[in-house]
Amino acid sequence: MEPYLNVRALLDEALHLLDGLGETLIAAHLMTPIAVLDDRIDSFGDTPDFVPPHIR
């Protein structure tokens, strides 16, 4: 599960960076892969303690 969490964290950083730059259309396109990753992470059951709070 850790690779999924790493990718999720990177996408979250990219989302915040693009949103902060005013590139909301590009940032919105990141929501689909983020949603897919969230579903995959949730499918693992209990979320481990090392998941950063901004992801969950």
Side-chain angles (χ1 to χ4, degrees), residues 4-19 26-27 29-38 54-55:
Y4 294 109
L5 296 172
N6 291 337
V7 171
R8 178 62 172 88
L10 289 173
L11 285 173
D12 195 49
E13 286 182 39
L15 177 70
H16 291 297
L17 175 67
L18 290 168
D19 195 38
I26 297 171
H29 282 79
L30 291 177
M31 295 308 295
T32 299
I34 287 173
V36 170
L37 280 170
D38 285 345
H54 68 278
I55 292 179

Side-chain angles (χ1 to χ4, degrees), residues 1 39-48 56:
M1 177 183 350
D39 286 344
R40 179 61 59 101
I41 291 167
D42 288 341
S43 74
F44 286 109
D46 290 335
T47 306
R56 302 304 310 152

